[in-house]
Amino acid sequence: MELKLSENLRKLRKERGNTQDELANHLGISVQAVSKWERGDGFPDITLLPYIASYYNVTVDDILGCNSLRKQEEIEAFKQQAQILINKGKRKERLELCREMQKKYPNNEDVLCNLMYDLWAVDRTKNSEEIICIANKLLKSDSLEIRYSAIQNLAFTYSELGNDEKAVEYAKMVPCNRDLLSSVLKGKDLVEHCRWYFWDVCDTMLQLSHNMMQCPEAGYTAEERHSIRETIYKFYHMVFSDGDFGFWENRLGLLCRDMAISSAETGNVDQAFDELNKMCEHMEKHQTFTNIKHTSLLVRGLEYDSSQTGSSDEYSMAYGFLCSLDDNPRFKPLHEDKRLEIIKNRLKALG
């Protein structure tokens, strides 16, 4: 256990606004002794600790930093438990866990950040006011990652509420996609940074293209939507040239499902079934994914495991695909084909 006695003594004295002389006089010792304690060159006699604690109206544990360490350990345990729940898609249980931690640590940024995301996931409209309140508080964080999370939630929440002007205002707070780190990092840090960029760039392309194609103003035909998704599908294969897709198998499954929708929409039934079979292959591989160390040149050496992933709810992605085969009207041309039942059975086996 690392004791931060010198740091805590300095902090307590400054918060109270007193001098080293005043503490020394109270304890009946020399000011040089107090100075040594604050520099970390020595420690108070154990018999003095209760008097110092009384002087500052705190506990001995506060002075030693034990309470701070216990708090840190409890927060870390909370974050681990929260990650387990999100991996299982148990959003409501995770929200309850966050609520309990909020009662104990109402201003802790890790707790508030997790709470903010779960409020959004469980009921973004109902919880919008609380999400905005928490996000505005987190905008003042020293952590760049937490500030980005706050901006993201503000932009998404205002968009959900139909306040497009506010949503755009917050979205513009995020810097343009200009990577300065690739110009200033060196050695292993530079290599790892660039490889993670390539690891993530495919998913960024997938998200942007999806958002763009959802917009009626884009004016894409079914054939053009198919072509865009096929391009991104091939791009994944270029980056992960060894076929070491790992976690991204689910994205490839999604692309194949959506290409099959376009194929069915244009009456190309055989092609649609080929793509649905590929979808199943990718989802079967994703189902067994636990961890991977990539070998493809652009991402070589990067490691990723299933504990770093989450789920939006308790249902699997494969179950969502299964439902879409019945619910999406664009799959109607496939409904009388016996091959559809085979696809459904493969998805049912994935749970």
Side-chain angles (χ1 to χ4, degrees):
M1 181 183 289
E2 180 188 357
L3 298 179
K4 299 183 178 180
L5 191 145
S6 60
E7 180 183 323
N8 291 335
L9 285 175
R10 285 197 306 274
K11 182 180 177 183
L12 286 167
R13 182 172 59 78
K14 290 178 179 178
E15 285 176 353
R16 177 161 179 150
N18 70 318
T19 65
Q20 291 181 347
D21 283 310
E22 288 170 334
L23 177 59
N25 290 334
H26 175 75
L27 298 173
I29 60 174
S30 70
V31 69
Q32 288 82 3
V34 175
S35 180
K36 283 178 64 176
W37 300 342
E38 292 194 6
R39 293 198 309 270
D41 293 338
F43 300 100
D45 187 280
I46 193 170
T47 60
L48 290 176
L49 291 177
Y51 296 101
I52 299 172
S54 176
Y55 182 71
Y56 288 121
N57 195 28
V58 295
T59 67
V60 171
D61 278 354
D62 287 326
I63 293 174
L64 296 175
C66 297
N67 287 340
S68 176
L69 289 168
R70 278 196 288 269
K71 174 183 174 181
Q72 186 177 341
E73 289 170 359
E74 193 171 356
I75 294 294
E76 286 303 316
F78 154 72
K79 287 162 67 176
Q80 291 175 17
Q81 181 62 24
Q83 184 62 50
I84 290 170
L85 290 173
I86 198 173
N87 288 348
K88 295 179 178 179
K90 296 182 178 291
R91 290 285 184 177
K92 290 184 179 178
E93 290 89 338
R94 193 171 184 266
L95 178 56
E96 290 172 7
L97 175 66
C98 290
R99 287 291 193 205
E100 287 302 310
M101 287 298 289
Q102 185 194 24
K103 292 175 186 176
K104 195 166 188 179
Y105 302 113
N107 297 311
N108 181 271
E109 291 182 350
D110 286 317
V111 173
L112 289 175
C113 201
N114 278 280
L115 174 60
M116 176 177 64
Y117 274 112
D118 285 316
L119 287 167
W120 165 266
V122 172
D123 193 333
R124 61 201 67 174
T125 304
K126 179 183 175 182
N127 298 322
S128 60
E129 187 175 337
E130 188 174 3
I131 293 169
I132 291 170
C133 180
I134 293 172
N136 278 312
K137 184 181 291 188
L138 293 176
L139 280 177
K140 301 171 185 175
S141 172
D142 292 331
S143 165
L144 182 62
E145 184 178 353
I146 287 178
R147 289 201 305 275
Y148 174 76
S149 297
I151 293 169
Q152 184 184 52
N153 273 271
L154 285 165
F156 288 170
T157 302
Y158 278 115
S159 178
E160 186 74 18
L161 294 174
N163 191 335
D164 295 337
E165 186 177 345
K166 268 286 189 184
V168 171
E169 176 188 331
Y170 282 107
K172 285 184 176 180
M173 290 174 66
V174 178
C176 295
N177 189 23
R178 297 180 185 273
D179 186 3
L180 293 179
L181 283 173
S182 64
S183 299
V184 297
L185 290 175
K186 294 179 176 63
K188 291 182 179 179
D189 290 337
L190 171 62
V191 173
E192 185 174 7
H193 172 76
C194 291
R195 287 175 175 170
W196 276 118
Y197 174 85
F198 285 118
W199 186 89
D200 195 52
V201 71
C202 299
D203 198 46
T204 301
M205 291 176 62
L206 177 59
Q207 291 176 33
L208 291 174
S209 64
H210 174 76
N211 292 342
M212 180 175 65
M213 286 186 286
Q214 289 286 98
C215 185
E217 287 79 3
Y220 290 118
T221 63
E223 291 88 348
E224 289 170 334
R225 290 195 297 273
H226 186 283
S227 180
I228 290 171
R229 289 178 173 124
E230 187 176 27
T231 298
I232 297 171
Y233 184 79
K234 290 176 180 177
F235 192 74
Y236 269 98
H237 284 74
M238 291 169 64
V239 173
F240 299 92
S241 53
D242 288 348
D244 50 331
F245 303 110
F247 172 72
W248 292 139
E249 292 283 0
N250 68 354
R251 300 299 198 268
L252 294 171
L254 176 63
L255 282 165
C256 288
R257 192 281 306 267
D258 288 347
M259 284 191 284
I261 289 175
S262 296
S263 295
E265 204 174 353
T266 56
N268 198 335
V269 172
D270 289 339
Q271 181 171 290
F273 276 111
D274 286 343
E275 287 157 349
L276 288 175
N277 277 307
K278 285 183 182 178
M279 172 196 73
C280 290
E281 290 171 14
H282 287 301
M283 297 313 297
E284 285 160 357
K285 290 177 182 177
H286 181 258
Q287 184 85 346
T288 58
F289 169 74
T290 53
N291 58 71
I292 193 168
K293 186 171 183 178
H294 292 283
T295 57
S296 298
L297 292 179
L298 288 173
V299 293
R300 186 168 61 193
L302 296 184
E303 298 184 55
Y304 195 83
D305 63 70
S306 56
S307 68
Q308 297 169 264
T309 66
S311 176
S312 58
D313 53 44
E314 294 183 55
Y315 296 108
S316 69
M317 197 169 179
Y319 177 80
F321 289 169
L322 176 63
C323 293
S324 70
L325 292 175
D326 290 325
D327 298 342
N328 193 318
R330 286 175 291 182
F331 275 133
K332 193 172 181 181
L334 311 185
H335 284 181
E336 301 304 317
D337 197 303
K338 294 179 180 179
R339 289 176 289 180
L340 188 63
E341 198 59 36
I342 298 173
I343 298 295
K344 287 184 177 181
N345 288 333
R346 290 180 72 176
L347 291 174
K348 286 176 184 176
L350 295 173

